């Protein structure tokens, strides 16, 4: 990979320091574990600083504190930026924090990923954002794969290139400070060296403050690192260059074997010893405490609410179109189900068979929408990361997500309804057909909102699928089809009114047997004459003609209600992550 093109040095440079910080987590109601203990270190601008240590030493925790991901109010000691206490909301605007796991859309290209990030985070026009992305692609050495998809399949990009895209997503706003957690994790030695060379060039030529964690760097990587913060058991044992570390080891009487990595030797010999504690900290303990004044954590967004919705809708629309397993399978499933059910119930006039058709249709429509759960869960990780960086509002994401699914679900509803309605032989009036289409569409939207809501709560697909399937089964049970409303115990009656099956099922019944023509239709004939008419059946079922449209409003209320709950759950999670 060619080194990034040189850029002008920064006017604003930032030095990050910690003064005797300690951080504890609660393991049990009355027990706390100290993750960091009296840590003092610094990261100057224009240098590449690496936090190194064995697994569980506290590297990622220290980096998270330096990045403001762990809020300073939860840490004892002082965190300073250019000598002043860190203001998290301001620091996040001038910094980029790249976590260890890559949260990227696999079906977008590197150029698209960077462009959407730029449009969301920069106060710039679309052309200005595109120019910034082209500069960044050249700087990251991604020009040759800019149009390839990020996914690791055929035609995808490599692990090292994917890592550079993750770094680029947090560099679109040209941060003065860049903090990276294990940027070489999972990469081969060549790719890892390329990443470190790129970061070294950024630090030296642009004056950026770059801090990274790394587990066990090789010799060639160590040569590129300006300063090493060696940490073990939550304490800093050394900060300085690899040369200063080697000289201190020699002064302490250690003999370093030839061709042995100095850092590995230091990590092996420091076990159970404090000989590498910073010299200026020995015998000292800073009592400085960071101000506990409330940080309102104000976020300044680059776009208006409408602008965010448009950008997110475009990105989500592109993702859904490219998810062939979701989009095409859904369309084919709707057509086949419509034709299949239509041929099974073709011209069946028996009332029980007709009700069975309505019930099975709802079962198919409501249960088949759980396929969107993996998409929502993947998006949730990216949402939490992007909103924590102030890229956009949670409400914009929820609105954009809902808008994008409207045309997709409408297409699915029409592909199902057109064959099944006429094959089954339902009422031939155009308004009844259109009403049936509307109900099917509303059912799909209800189920989609329901899945979106619970995807905001559940941690993974297995639990989400179990919860959603269980609730769908309960809704079907209390819909009034298996057991009438009058026979449902009073302590379970609330489930009848919460059932997603109840309102569309009643709408189907009223659409078929309501109105003047439906009331006069004979549903059961005996030698003595007509025993049950459509009007008698509707009345026996406890339905009124006015419910035909009131049920539509109730279904719309469910759609909006579940989206509002989705927003509340996601907002709470993102707020908690930001704090």
């Amino acid at each position: 990979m060619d080194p990034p093109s040189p850029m002008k040095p920064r006017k604003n440079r930032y030095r990050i320091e910690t003064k005797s910080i300690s951080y504890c987590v609660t393991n049990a109601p009355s027990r706390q574990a100290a993750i960091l203990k009296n840590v003092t270190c610094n990261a100057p601008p224009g240098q590449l600083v690496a936090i190194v240590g064995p697994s569980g030493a506290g590297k990622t925790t220290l980096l998270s504190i330096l990045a403001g991901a762990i809020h300073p109010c939860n840490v004892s000691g002082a965190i300073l930026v250019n000598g002043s206490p860190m203001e998290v909301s301001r620091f996040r605007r001038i910094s980029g924090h790249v976590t260890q796991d890559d949260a990227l859309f696999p079906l977008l290209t590197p150029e698209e990923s960077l462009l959407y990030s730029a449009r969301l985070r920069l106060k710039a026009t679309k052309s200005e954002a595109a120019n910034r992305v082209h500069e960044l692609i050249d700087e990251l050495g991604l020009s040759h794969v800019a149009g390839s998809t990020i996914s690791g399949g055929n035609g995808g990009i490599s692990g090292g290139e994917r890592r550079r895209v993750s770094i680029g997503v947090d560099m679109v706003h040209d941060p003065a400070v860049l903090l990276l957690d294990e940027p070489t994790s999972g990469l081969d030695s060549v790719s890892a060296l390329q990443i470190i060379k790129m970061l070294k060039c950024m630090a030296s030529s642009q004056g950026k403050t770059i801090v990274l964690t790394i587990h066990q760097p090789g010799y060639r990587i160590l040569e590129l690192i300006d300063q090493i913060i060696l940490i073990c058991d939550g304490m800093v044992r050394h900060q300085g260059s690899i040369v200063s570390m080697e000289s201190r080891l020699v002064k302490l009487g250690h003999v370093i074997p030839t061709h042995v990595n100095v850092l590995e030797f230091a990590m092996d010999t420091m076990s159970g010893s404090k000989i590498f504690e910073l010299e200026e900290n020995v015998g000292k303990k800073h009592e400085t405490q960071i101000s506990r004044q409330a940080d309102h954590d104000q976020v300044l967004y680059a776009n208006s609410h409408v602008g965010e919705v448009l950008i997110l809708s475009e990105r989500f629309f592109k993702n859904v179109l490219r998810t062939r397993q979701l989009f095409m399978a859904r369309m084919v499933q709707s057509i086949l189900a419509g034709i299949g059910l239509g041929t099974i119930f073709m011209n069946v006039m028996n009332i029980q068979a007709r009700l069975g058709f309505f019930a099975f249709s709802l079962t198919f429509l409501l249960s088949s929408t759980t396929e969107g759960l993996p998409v929502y869960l993947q998006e949730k990780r990216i949402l939490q990361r992007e909103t924590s960086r102030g890229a956009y509002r949670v409400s914009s994401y929820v609105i954009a997500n809902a808008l994008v699914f409207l045309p997709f679900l409408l297409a699915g509803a029409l592909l199902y309804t057109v064959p099944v309605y006429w094959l089954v032989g339902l009422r031939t009036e155009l308004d009844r057909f259109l009403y049936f289409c509307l109900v099917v569409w509303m059912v799909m939207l209800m189920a989609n909102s329901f899945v979106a809501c619970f995807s905001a709560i559940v941690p993974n697909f297995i639990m989400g699928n179990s919860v959603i399937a269980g609730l769908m089964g309960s809704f079907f049970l209390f819909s009034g089809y298996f057991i009438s409303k009058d026979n449902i115990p009073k302590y379970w009656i609330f489930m009848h009114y919460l059932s997603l099956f109840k309102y569309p099922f009643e709408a189907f019944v009223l659409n078929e047997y309501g109105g003047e023509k439906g009331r006069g239709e004979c549903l059961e004939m005996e030698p003595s004459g007509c025993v049950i008419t459509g009007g008698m059946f509707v009345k026996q079922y406890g339905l009124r003609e006015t419910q035909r449209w009131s049920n539509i409003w109730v279904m719309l209320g469910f759609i909006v209600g579940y989206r509002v709950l989705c927003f509340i759950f996601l907002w709470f999670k993102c707020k908690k992550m930001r704090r």
Side-chain angles (χ1 to χ4, degrees):
M1 182 192 75
D2 297 330
S5 56
M7 295 180 69
K8 293 181 180 180
R10 307 191 68 88
K11 292 182 179 180
N12 297 324
R13 298 189 175 202
Y14 296 89
R15 180 186 183 89
I16 312 172
E17 300 174 83
T18 67
K19 299 288 187 180
S20 297
I21 64 167
S22 297
Y23 179 69
C24 299
V25 294
T26 303
N27 285 339
S30 59
R31 293 181 60 188
Q32 284 192 329
I35 306 299
L36 296 177
K37 311 164 192 174
N38 192 32
V39 170
T40 296
C41 61
N42 67 84
Q47 293 189 13
L48 184 61
V49 180
I51 303 173
V52 185
S55 298
K59 302 187 297 294
T60 298
T61 302
L62 178 57
L63 188 80
S64 298
I65 291 172
L66 294 176
I70 295 177
H71 204 279
C73 67
N74 299 321
V75 181
S76 65
I79 308 166
L80 307 176
V81 180
N82 284 350
S84 302
M86 177 187 284
E87 297 176 21
V88 175
S89 56
R90 181 175 181 271
F91 184 73
R92 283 179 180 153
R93 292 197 295 273
I94 62 158
S95 66
H97 181 204
V98 183
T99 54
Q100 187 171 349
D101 56 320
D102 299 321
L104 300 169
F105 290 102
L107 298 178
L108 294 182
T109 66
E111 184 176 6
E112 289 169 339
S113 299
L114 296 174
L115 182 58
Y116 283 122
S117 182
R119 290 173 63 188
L120 288 167
R121 300 190 70 174
L122 297 177
K123 291 184 178 180
T125 63
K126 192 172 181 178
S127 60
E128 290 171 340
N131 290 334
R132 167 60 184 153
V133 167
H134 290 148
E135 291 176 4
L136 189 58
I137 285 174
D138 291 337
E139 187 178 354
L140 295 169
L142 292 170
S143 301
H144 62 294
V145 292
S148 304
T149 57
I150 291 173
S151 60
N154 293 332
I157 63 177
S158 68
E161 290 160 346
R162 183 187 178 96
R163 202 73 183 113
R164 275 179 265 162
V165 176
S166 293
I167 294 171
V169 166
D170 274 292
M171 285 181 57
V172 289
H173 60 304
D174 192 23
V177 181
L178 190 60
L179 304 112
L180 308 98
D181 188 17
E182 298 278 4
T184 61
S185 176
L187 303 181
D188 59 78
S189 58
V190 175
S191 299
L193 183 62
Q194 289 175 343
I195 294 288
I196 300 301
K197 280 183 177 179
M198 178 188 71
L199 296 173
K200 171 68 174 179
C201 188
M202 288 179 187
S204 58
S205 64
Q206 301 174 34
K208 292 180 184 288
T209 304
I210 300 183
V211 185
L212 58 93
T213 62
I214 192 165
H215 183 63
Q216 212 164 14
Y219 179 75
R220 290 188 296 173
I221 288 177
L222 278 176
E223 288 183 322
L224 299 171
I225 296 172
D226 296 299
Q227 288 199 46
I228 290 174
I229 299 174
L230 184 57
I231 187 170
C232 182
D233 295 328
M235 295 181 288
V236 172
R237 304 298 177 86
H238 171 83
Q239 174 165 4
S241 65
I242 192 68
V243 175
S244 66
M245 177 185 288
E246 185 175 4
S247 63
R248 288 182 64 188
L249 282 167
V250 172
K251 285 180 181 179
L252 290 166
H254 293 284
V255 178
I256 304 173
T258 309
H259 305 304
V260 170
N261 187 311
V262 176
L263 180 59
E264 289 183 12
F265 182 82
M267 291 171 64
D268 290 338
T269 57
M270 76 179 178
S271 179
S273 170
K274 294 187 179 180
I275 56 175
F276 297 110
E277 188 173 358
L278 279 169
E279 291 178 354
E280 59 267 31
N281 290 337
V282 176
K284 300 180 182 180
K285 186 168 182 177
H286 298 275
E287 297 299 331
T288 308
Q289 293 290 321
I290 191 166
S291 171
R292 289 301 187 268
Q293 293 180 353
D295 184 345
H296 295 292
D297 210 8
Q298 183 181 4
V299 180
L300 298 178
Y301 297 101
N303 298 279
S304 65
H305 216 127
V306 174
E308 290 174 356
V309 170
L310 292 175
I311 296 170
L312 291 170
S313 297
E314 181 185 327
R315 185 175 72 175
F316 199 78
F317 190 86
K318 191 171 290 186
N319 269 305
V320 174
L321 271 182
R322 292 180 183 176
T323 310
R324 293 196 182 103
Q325 299 92 331
L326 177 65
F327 177 63
M328 293 302 297
R330 178 67 183 174
M331 298 301 108
V332 172
Q333 184 186 51
S334 295
I335 296 172
L336 294 179
I339 295 173
L341 280 178
T343 53
I344 292 171
F345 292 93
M346 184 181 292
N347 295 320
V348 176
M349 305 305 295
N350 179 277
I351 183 64
Q352 289 300 322
R354 188 61 54 85
L355 292 179
F357 163 70
F358 293 151
F360 191 85
S361 291
L362 290 174
T363 304
F364 163 73
L365 294 170
L366 286 169
S367 61
S368 62
T369 51
T370 55
E371 62 206 10
L373 183 60
V375 177
Y376 286 129
L377 291 174
Q378 181 192 52
E379 282 241 326
K380 184 170 69 172
R381 290 175 54 243
I382 300 174
L383 164 77
Q384 289 176 316
R385 186 163 299 177
E386 290 179 332
T387 52
S388 69
R389 296 161 180 162
Y392 50 84
R393 303 164 182 85
V394 177
S395 55
S396 298
Y397 166 81
V398 175
I399 294 170
N401 184 283
L403 290 176
V404 164
F405 271 108
L406 289 176
F408 286 111
L409 294 179
L410 177 60
L414 291 174
L415 289 173
Y416 171 77
T417 302
V418 171
V420 80
Y421 190 89
W422 303 110
L423 286 173
V424 171
L426 301 178
R427 292 178 62 171
T428 56
E429 297 96 319
L430 180 61
D431 63 319
R432 299 285 166 168
F433 168 71
L434 294 176
Y435 180 86
F436 189 91
C437 292
L438 176 62
V439 173
V440 170
W441 187 34
M442 298 292 280
V443 170
M444 287 185 168
L445 290 172
M446 265 199 311
N448 184 262
S449 298
F450 179 79
V451 172
C453 175
F454 278 89
S455 70
I457 307 173
V458 298
N460 52 57
F461 176 77
I462 295 175
M463 183 174 289
N465 195 46
S466 299
V467 170
I468 291 170
L471 287 172
M472 286 295 185
S474 301
F475 289 154
F476 194 21
L477 177 63
F478 291 101
S479 64
Y481 178 73
F482 289 107
I483 179 172
S484 66
K485 173 187 171 183
D486 296 334
N487 292 327
I488 297 176
K490 291 182 179 180
Y491 47 84
W492 282 114
I493 197 66
F494 72 94
M495 284 295 293
H496 177 67
Y497 293 103
L498 291 177
S499 173
L500 300 184
F501 281 83
K502 165 182 162 58
Y503 303 98
F505 184 77
E506 292 177 353
F508 283 155
V509 171
L510 285 169
N511 189 56
E512 185 65 19
Y513 301 117
E516 186 176 347
K517 182 179 178 180
R519 286 194 298 268
E521 182 180 352
C522 183
L523 304 180
E524 189 172 327
M525 179 71 72
E526 290 188 0
S528 57
C530 186
V531 179
I532 299 178
T533 63
M536 294 168 61
F537 175 74
V538 168
K539 187 175 181 180
Q540 182 182 359
Y541 217 82
L543 302 177
R544 301 183 305 276
E545 189 67 28
T546 54
Q547 289 179 261
R548 186 164 176 258
W549 288 105
S550 65
N551 280 2
I552 294 292
W553 287 107
V554 172
M555 286 187 277
L556 183 61
F558 273 116
I559 295 168
V560 175
Y562 280 124
R563 288 290 174 179
V564 170
L565 285 175
C566 178
F567 162 72
I568 293 172
F569 295 143
L570 289 175
W571 179 86
F572 179 77
K573 281 180 174 288
C574 293
K575 187 73 173 178
K576 186 178 179 181
M577 184 177 180
R578 202 157 53 226
R579 294 297 296 175

